[in-house]
Amino acid sequence: MYLSKPNPELYNQQKCEANMSLVNEDGKQNCSARLLKVEHLLYQNPNGIQVKDIARLCQVSKRTSYRDLNELETTLKIPLITDKNGYHIADNYFLPPIHFTLTEGLSVFLATRLLFGYSCTYNPDIESTFTKLNSVMPAPFQHQISQTLDKMHDKAADKENIQTMALLCRAWAEQRKVQISYWTLGKKDCSTREVSPYFIEPAAAGHSAYLIGHCGKSNEMRTFKLEHIQSIKILDDKYAIPRDFDIDKYHSPYWGILVDGEVKDIKLSFTPEVGRIMTETIFHPTQVNETLPDQSVLVSFRLADTPDFVSWVLSWGERVKVLEPRELRVKVIETARGMLERYAVQEKK
């Protein structure tokens, strides 16, 4: 079962007209504002509302209300359900309206900025979030949000990835398994897997989002990069996320998205010139800092030395030294030698 997506442009147009009067200057009904009111009435009556009541509250005929409901369903792709109680919106489609304080709105803005920053492709859902936020924030914030919206249109769209995310979101909300065709790095062909989505995690380092869930093929927890999912289908099979599953505990022994390897005690020595950065920033929950008399900083971690952690250590260059464990120190030395050899060959040409 594939998700029928709403039209973001038409939907945002309705949202931007939220404060318009139901009646135009010439005395005629404003269709856009009326459709928005009908949508709000459906929000306010999750168990259902009769067409006659919609018509009465919007001051139109029942025939017009039926046309409005059809417009919401066919043009804006809002899934409507009818029963003895009347019309209502299908569960899990829209979140209920909520109110933010100014600082809460700023938190949403900053979180969305992070999402915008890690993604190098255009995403209409991120744009829609900014657009809605922009309608309620004070003028200074609106200017910054508008600038972000302008920059967003410079990015190329990735329709396949957007559709994949939409389907995963729905499957996760409805607790239904997905069948994916997945390409693994280093493999020539894709493999078909049935996965129970437990979590979707963004990772700035990989400029991507990752599906974390139980893989039926391996019968273990696995991490799947969204861009490597070649096709996806929502299945009818239901699943339940274990009550003791905690994504933060699951990732706590690891540096980034990669879950692999033995957890070790790691000690790094940073030179004084970057020592202050270490004391000012918590890079991992297990981090412990100790400032030495010469102002160098000893930093300890309790985690696995995965490739993404090794890359982070290497990013500090000569300003860091691995003290423990020896295996990590060897990895860094071998990588540094490989880099030197590669550049040496290039310089000889």
Side-chain angles (χ1 to χ4, degrees):
M1 175 177 164
Y2 290 87
L3 180 63
S4 176
K5 298 186 65 182
N7 184 320
E9 181 178 350
L10 290 172
Y11 179 75
N12 287 331
Q13 178 183 342
Q14 303 293 342
K15 287 296 186 182
C16 292
E17 296 169 341
N19 295 322
M20 296 177 65
S21 169
L22 285 175
V23 180
N24 289 329
E25 292 180 359
D26 59 5
K28 295 182 179 180
Q29 284 275 350
N30 185 314
C31 181
S32 296
R34 192 179 66 247
L35 285 175
L36 185 59
K37 182 169 183 178
V38 173
E39 181 189 345
H40 285 174
L41 289 172
L42 292 167
Y43 274 139
Q44 296 162 11
N45 296 273
N47 295 323
I49 181 172
Q50 299 292 337
V51 175
K52 64 178 182 179
D53 294 320
I54 295 175
R56 175 176 55 83
L57 293 168
C58 293
Q59 299 179 1
V60 296
S61 66
K62 288 176 61 176
R63 177 179 295 181
T64 299
S65 290
Y66 276 118
R67 283 203 303 266
D68 290 343
L69 289 165
N70 182 66
E71 184 74 7
L72 289 176
E73 193 165 25
T74 58
T75 303
L76 297 183
K77 303 299 182 183
I78 298 177
L80 301 181
I81 296 176
T82 57
D83 53 31
K84 63 179 181 180
N85 295 320
Y87 281 81
H88 58 96
I89 299 175
D91 293 339
N92 297 327
Y93 189 76
F94 285 127
L95 297 177
I98 54 177
H99 300 282
F100 291 111
T101 65
L102 179 59
T103 51
E104 288 170 344
L106 176 61
S107 297
V108 175
F109 172 64
L110 295 177
T112 314
R113 279 285 302 178
L114 284 174
L115 192 61
F116 168 75
Y118 98 80
S119 176
C120 294
T121 57
Y122 168 74
N123 188 320
D125 294 318
I126 299 178
E127 180 185 26
S128 178
T129 302
F130 274 119
T131 301
K132 294 174 185 177
L133 187 63
N134 203 29
S135 66
V136 298
M137 294 295 280
F141 292 98
Q142 288 182 353
H143 176 67
Q144 297 300 326
I145 294 172
S146 295
Q147 284 189 331
T148 301
L149 285 168
D150 290 340
K151 294 174 184 176
M152 195 172 297
H153 289 286
D154 295 334
K155 296 185 175 185
D158 186 344
K159 296 181 180 179
E160 291 77 13
N161 188 259
I162 293 169
Q163 181 73 357
T164 296
M165 178 67 85
L167 288 165
L168 285 176
C169 180
R170 182 168 180 177
W172 188 14
E174 296 178 0
Q175 302 282 271
R176 292 164 61 185
K177 295 181 180 180
V178 293
Q179 182 183 83
I180 63 174
S181 177
Y182 190 76
W183 175 73
T184 303
L185 190 65
K187 300 290 185 179
K188 183 178 180 181
D189 299 319
C190 296
S191 61
T192 301
R193 304 164 183 260
E194 287 189 8
V195 182
S196 301
Y198 280 25
F199 206 83
I200 298 174
E201 180 84 316
H207 291 275
S208 182
Y210 295 78
L211 165 64
I212 298 165
H214 185 271
C215 175
K217 184 176 181 179
S218 64
N219 196 30
E220 293 180 344
M221 292 292 295
R222 285 288 186 267
T223 299
F224 304 94
K225 187 175 183 179
L226 261 60
E227 283 81 0
H228 290 180
I229 297 177
Q230 305 302 299
S231 65
I232 178 171
K233 182 179 181 181
I234 300 179
L235 304 175
D236 292 330
D237 298 345
K238 303 282 284 186
Y239 70 95
I241 299 176
R243 293 182 62 87
D244 60 352
F245 175 75
D246 185 325
I247 187 63
D248 295 315
K249 289 183 179 178
Y250 179 71
H251 273 148
S252 62
Y254 305 98
W255 184 256
I257 199 69
L258 183 61
V259 177
D260 186 41
E262 177 188 353
V263 177
K264 304 172 183 177
D265 290 316
I266 295 173
K267 291 185 179 181
L268 309 175
S269 175
F270 287 87
T271 61
E273 62 180 311
V274 295
R276 183 173 176 178
I277 298 176
M278 297 301 117
T279 59
E280 291 175 339
T281 309
I282 299 299
F283 291 94
H284 191 269
T286 63
Q287 178 177 336
V288 177
N289 302 323
E290 180 185 354
T291 302
L292 302 179
D294 64 353
Q295 298 307 303
S296 64
V297 177
L298 181 65
V299 182
S300 301
F301 295 105
R302 175 72 179 164
L303 45 74
D305 54 353
T306 51
D308 46 3
F309 178 71
V310 175
S311 296
W312 180 80
V313 173
L314 287 164
S315 71
W316 294 99
E318 74 283 1
R319 292 165 294 187
V320 64
K321 181 179 180 180
V322 178
L323 303 180
E324 296 179 13
R326 182 179 180 278
E327 309 93 87
L328 175 59
R329 187 163 63 250
V330 170
K331 285 183 182 179
V332 171
I333 292 172
E334 290 178 346
T335 304
R337 281 177 180 160
M339 293 172 62
L340 183 61
E341 290 172 2
R342 186 173 180 85
Y343 280 106
V345 170
Q346 185 69 28
E347 288 298 315
K348 291 179 181 179
K349 291 183 179 180

